[in-house]
Amino acid sequence: MTEIPPTRHKDFIRQIIADDVAENKNQGRVVTRFPPEPNGYLHIGHAKSICLNFGIADENEGGVCHLRFDDTNPTKEELEYVDSIQRDVRWLGFDWGENLYYASDYFDQLYRYAVVLIKEDKAYVCSLPPDKIREYRGTLTEPGKNSPHRDRPVAENLDLFERMKAGEFEDGAHVLRAKIDMASPNISLRDPVIYRILKRSHHRTGDRWCIYPMYDFTHCLSDSIEGITHSLCTLEFQDNRAVYDWVLDQLPVERHPQQIEFARLNLSNTLLSKRMLLKLVQEGVVEGWDDPRMPTLSGLRRRGYTPRAIRDFCDRIGLAKKNSQVDMALLEHCVREDLNESAQRVMGVLRPLKVIIDNYPEGQTEDLEFQNHPGDTAMGTRMVPFSRELYIEQDDFREEAPKKFFRLAPGREVRLRYAYYITCVGMEKDEKTGEITALHCTYDPETKGGSSPDGRKVKGTIHWVSAAHALEVQVRLYDHLMLTPDEDQKEAPELTDLLNKDSLEVLNSCRVEPGLKDIAPGSRVQFERLGYFCVDPVDSSPGKPVFNRTVSLRDTWAKIEKAQKSKKAK
Ligand code: ATP
Ligand code: MG
């Protein structure tokens, strides 16, 4: 398990909880919950909620966080999602211990509570069709209209509800509604539906039920049944809080948890809606929920993100009461920081250009000893073969180089990382296309290890691999999935218009150090000068690793932060 970094912020929720504990409210207990609906995979937005709920439980003595599946809609829920959610929460480094719950475990109790409401004339069976229910609900500026069934006698409601449960009616024929106030300025209080008929098998209760409770009824009661003290949710539930409290106030419950809302995470260039992510999966825009371009935890994991980086990110974004958007560059900055410390550094060439060292003996190979992580000797050393024919990055050579181009060019000398100085003395070109097919260089044997005894300096250092020894591999480079950075445009009707068509680039003839042949799937390395890469756990096979680029080395966040600071200073 990853070590839990200490929280930097005492946000408004932590403050409320600290005050409650100080006042011995709930006998000083802190019980939170993370309540996913198993209708998709968890994404980075959920990570914010997970870190908050489990984090608070960890920070408070005797604190507990429940994992509760909010499984009240059998039309969209699947076992696959239940499993993936548990895997992802564990992967982030959190543990719910014994406290795994399902709202569906409360179906009997919820039904009994609904009957109590009906008996007290606080709920009624409404037989309006769904579109009429919507129409009668009114708008923000107009009050709603009472349903013609609002005054049904209690006995009739009890009978109808019982028969709904017995399966006598088709989907949509009736619903059970709380009798609150059709004229309330809060639309959530205009007689919300609390039960509906759905003749579907449920992944846990099978065909036992054909009526299912709605969120507004289920959530508060599940919280109360489990003894949750603080029910933390995102801002879109602000209006529902009134229903949450109303339901608990009407019923003979022992505990009334406190709902507190916080701003959801919005991330630039990123869709964070399960409905939209499901669409990407279903329409084949991505390979699946774990496509490395997806903002899902399984996608980020496959991309090479670490739990530590994600938790660090969730800590840095803090908690607010107002929605805003976080720049993707911050998330990238967090993973870079983590991998900078933990990833082994190796050499890999993405777009190879052959280099022949004319004065290096043919057939000779020498093994050079490299630090696995300069600056961290605990990570040890490895041997890297050097020979007469090498590959360097195409980008590291210019036939006509500007002055500030400090890499290789005709007549110029550069350092091959940890190896020798070389000077470019010639080129081979394809007769037809004029394309450069190989470079000829000479090396200075005196510069072994990458420095010259005569104190001669070179400006550039480039990476390389030995042509005969290198392993040919596939590398995938990723870019944002969404073209638009802004949240409000992400829900446009045509999803395809928002997609970045160049979000994936597959390179098939990359060359990497031979020592990477048997690297374990999921391993993370830094290809020097290029970025951090992760061995794809799905498409790699023994002896044939495939690398996903997690993030390049360019830190745009540092730039953004600098710009923000200088703006503030002005
Ligand atoms: P989505 O909007 O992706 O469909 P959801 O809210 O329907 O998400 P749930 O499974 O109901 O998904 O979410 C579980 C918990 O995670 C809820 O408490 C919800 O408030 C929280 N959550 C979901 N998205 C975010 C987000 N972007 N930022 C913070 N918390 C989130
Ligand atoms: Mg939800």
Side-chain angles (χ1 to χ4, degrees):
M1 185 174 296
T2 44
E3 148 223 358
I4 302 172
T7 302
R8 299 166 208 213
H9 311 279
K10 186 109 183 173
D11 51 69
F12 74 100
I13 291 182
R14 286 181 164 88
Q15 191 58 56
I16 292 171
I17 291 177
D19 293 345
D20 286 350
V21 169
E23 287 168 19
N24 207 34
K25 196 173 161 188
N26 309 306
Q27 292 85 48
R29 278 177 322 123
V30 175
V31 186
T32 55
R33 87 286 169 267
F34 173 63
E37 187 182 346
N39 62 352
Y41 279 59
L42 296 180
H43 54 60
I44 182 78
H46 294 113
K48 176 176 180 176
S49 177
I50 294 168
C51 290
L52 176 69
N53 282 293
F54 282 94
I56 286 174
D58 283 340
E59 293 154 26
N60 284 278
E61 181 140 5
V64 183
C65 180
H66 296 186
L67 175 61
R68 182 201 312 142
F69 288 101
D70 190 6
D71 55 348
T72 54
N73 182 359
T75 57
K76 292 184 176 165
E77 295 161 5
E78 284 172 31
L79 205 56
E80 179 197 351
Y81 300 138
V82 170
D83 294 340
S84 77
I85 289 169
Q86 296 189 48
R87 190 163 61 235
D88 289 345
V89 174
R90 274 207 201 92
W91 176 72
L92 267 186
F94 295 108
D95 186 4
W96 53 88
E98 312 266 278
N99 297 297
L100 178 63
Y101 301 97
Y102 294 85
S104 56
D105 288 345
Y106 311 134
F107 281 172
D108 284 294
Q109 199 165 346
L110 295 175
Y111 179 80
R112 287 196 297 271
Y113 278 135
V115 170
V116 171
L117 281 188
I118 297 173
K119 282 185 177 162
E120 299 195 358
D121 202 17
K122 286 168 181 162
Y124 62 96
V125 173
C126 177
S127 314
L128 288 174
D131 57 321
K132 285 284 171 217
I133 291 186
R134 219 171 300 128
E135 192 187 310
Y136 277 49
R137 192 172 290 139
T139 63
L140 280 173
T141 49
E142 286 167 56
K145 247 183 1 190
N146 282 356
S147 158
H149 312 118
R150 200 172 197 264
D151 294 320
R152 263 185 175 141
V154 168
E156 191 181 330
N157 282 322
L158 282 175
D159 175 60
L160 281 171
F161 190 50
E162 170 89 52
R163 286 163 59 197
M164 280 165 67
K165 177 179 178 247
E168 283 189 31
F169 309 111
E170 292 314 307
D171 290 8
H174 306 283
V175 291
L176 185 70
R177 299 176 70 174
K179 196 188 267 193
I180 311 181
D181 179 6
M182 287 307 290
S184 172
N186 180 351
I187 296 180
S188 298
L189 285 174
R190 294 182 190 168
D191 292 7
V193 173
I194 57 176
Y195 262 95
R196 60 176 162 174
I197 302 170
L198 271 181
K199 295 198 161 167
R200 296 292 177 92
S201 277
H202 185 282
H203 65 100
R204 282 177 64 82
T205 58
D207 293 322
R208 222 162 77 64
W209 295 90
C210 64
I211 54 170
Y212 290 93
M214 304 296 287
Y215 174 87
D216 277 330
F217 190 64
T218 312
H219 206 82
C220 53
L221 286 166
S222 304
D223 281 349
S224 172
I225 292 166
E226 290 175 19
I228 302 299
T229 56
H230 299 84
S231 181
L232 315 177
C233 62
T234 37
L235 284 179
E236 60 272 24
F237 293 101
Q238 206 153 19
D239 287 345
N240 302 67
R241 192 197 327 134
V243 187
Y244 188 104
D245 289 333
W246 184 89
V247 170
L248 294 181
D249 285 342
Q250 309 313 310
L251 290 167
V253 296
E254 278 171 41
R255 293 167 292 223
H256 189 140
Q258 180 183 3
Q259 175 177 315
I260 310 172
E261 307 88 22
F262 62 94
R264 58 184 282 119
L265 170 69
N266 297 317
L267 200 57
S268 63
N269 298 89
T270 309
L271 281 178
L272 290 183
S273 139
K274 278 189 284 190
R275 191 174 54 80
M276 299 291 269
L277 294 175
L278 177 63
K279 214 164 145 185
L280 294 178
V281 173
Q282 283 173 340
E283 292 180 7
V285 173
V286 293
E287 230 182 83
W289 286 99
D290 69 345
D291 187 300
R293 291 167 292 175
M294 289 282 270
T296 51
L297 296 180
S298 52
L300 289 166
R301 172 167 64 231
R302 194 170 160 194
R303 175 89 170 248
Y305 273 77
T306 59
R308 213 180 121 96
I310 292 173
R311 289 165 63 157
D312 181 32
F313 170 75
C314 291
D315 192 34
R316 285 179 197 234
I317 57 178
L319 215 59
K321 287 187 233 190
K322 202 168 154 272
N323 279 321
S324 64
Q325 180 165 287
V326 175
D327 199 303
M328 184 61 161
L330 177 59
L331 181 61
E332 293 176 346
H333 175 78
C334 291
V335 74
R336 239 180 239 118
E337 275 214 336
D338 188 15
L339 295 178
N340 179 41
E341 285 172 25
S342 60
Q344 181 181 332
R345 305 212 178 151
V346 295
M347 290 197 291
V349 174
L350 298 185
R351 296 173 180 87
L353 172 61
K354 174 141 321 158
V355 168
I356 302 156
I357 315 244
D358 293 337
N359 60 339
Y360 194 88
E362 243 167 283
Q364 180 176 311
T365 301
E366 61 187 303
D367 278 320
L368 303 175
E369 187 173 15
F370 281 25
Q371 290 264 314
N372 286 333
H373 190 300
D376 185 355
T377 47
M379 285 180 84
T381 61
R382 69 187 189 284
M383 303 309 278
V384 179
F386 184 90
S387 65
R388 182 178 152 91
E389 294 198 0
L390 312 169
Y391 286 114
I392 65 165
E393 208 69 62
Q394 285 169 18
D395 261 1
D396 283 336
F397 175 80
R398 290 278 159 81
E399 186 173 2
E400 282 164 43
K403 246 197 147 112
K404 291 238 159 135
F405 184 80
F406 296 131
R407 291 167 265 170
L408 200 59
R412 292 206 194 158
E413 185 173 49
V414 295
R415 175 188 295 110
L416 292 177
R417 194 112 169 155
Y418 315 124
Y420 294 100
Y421 286 9
I422 58 167
T423 304
C424 179
V425 294
M427 291 166 284
E428 285 177 25
K429 290 187 179 176
D430 185 297
E431 274 179 20
K432 279 196 203 120
T433 63
E435 212 176 295
I436 299 168
T437 53
L439 303 178
H440 285 270
C441 294
T442 55
Y443 86 118
D444 177 354
E446 298 298 312
T447 57
K448 185 166 179 171
S451 64
S452 168
D454 66 10
R456 187 170 89 251
K457 295 267 189 282
V458 287
K459 282 249 167 70
T461 300
I462 63 176
H463 58 274
W464 55 275
V465 290
S466 166
H469 303 89
L471 185 66
E472 185 168 351
V473 298
Q474 184 186 90
V475 175
R476 294 104 163 234
L477 307 181
Y478 304 105
D479 197 354
H480 302 309
L481 202 48
M482 309 311 293
L483 282 174
T484 163
D486 298 323
E487 177 63 22
D488 46 3
Q489 288 171 40
K490 287 178 205 156
E491 297 269 342
E494 278 310 314
L495 187 59
T496 42
D497 295 342
L498 299 178
L499 291 174
N500 174 9
K501 289 177 188 61
D502 302 317
S503 59
L504 170 66
E505 186 178 0
V506 180
L507 302 174
N508 278 312
S509 36
C510 310
R511 301 296 204 290
V512 300
E513 288 181 19
L516 295 176
K517 187 160 178 275
D518 296 312
I519 188 168
S523 305
R524 305 176 182 95
V525 294
Q526 181 192 120
F527 285 150
E528 298 221 22
R529 301 179 63 232
L530 296 176
Y532 296 99
F533 294 77
C534 179
V535 182
D536 191 274
V538 179
D539 298 326
S540 301
S541 52
K544 272 195 94 49
V546 170
F547 291 87
N548 300 332
R549 184 170 70 190
T550 312
V551 67
S552 71
L553 288 180
R554 233 176 318 117
D555 192 342
T556 44
W557 178 251
K559 274 191 213 141
I560 292 170
E561 207 169 38
K562 217 171 139 190
Q564 280 171 350
K565 272 189 192 142
S566 70
K567 209 168 143 193
K568 263 191 200 146
K570 272 177 200 162

